[in-house]
Amino acid sequence: MYKIGENVRLLRKRMRLTQTDFSKQIGISQGTLSDIEQGHCNPSVETVLSIHEQYGVSLDLILKGSEDVQSAKLHLKDRRNDAEELIEIIKVLSPEALSDILDYANYKHKKIRE
């Protein structure tokens, strides 16, 4: 039998995220995430898809733990590279353009937290 909660916990820990941060990013409460990780309940289909979409990991990894963890690490590396590229772009923007980017980033951050 697959231990989905254990797979979710291992994935979260490999990404060095707290339950609070991970749960916010995938749209569930910290308590629900704790219940999932402890095996008290299984995640909803929406939660599994959110993890899949947010972190770019396969459904097999989430559900069965059968995918090589390297793919998750590569996705995180890509996100770090994106962040570094964004920082380089920000360095050369005008104050007005920087303000626009900050407004958009705050808007997206708020949407994730809802």
Side-chain angles (χ1 to χ4, degrees), residues 11 17 27 46 48 54 78 92 96 103:
L11 178 62
L17 293 171
E46 291 82 9
V48 171
Q54 184 75 18
D78 289 343
V92 298
E96 182 180 298
D103 289 344

Side-chain angles (χ1 to χ4, degrees), residues 27-45:
I28 61 174
S29 72
Q30 185 273 327
T32 299
L33 178 59
S34 178
D35 286 345
I36 291 168
E37 289 185 358
Q38 293 177 41
H40 298 306
C41 65
N42 283 320
S44 67
V45 171

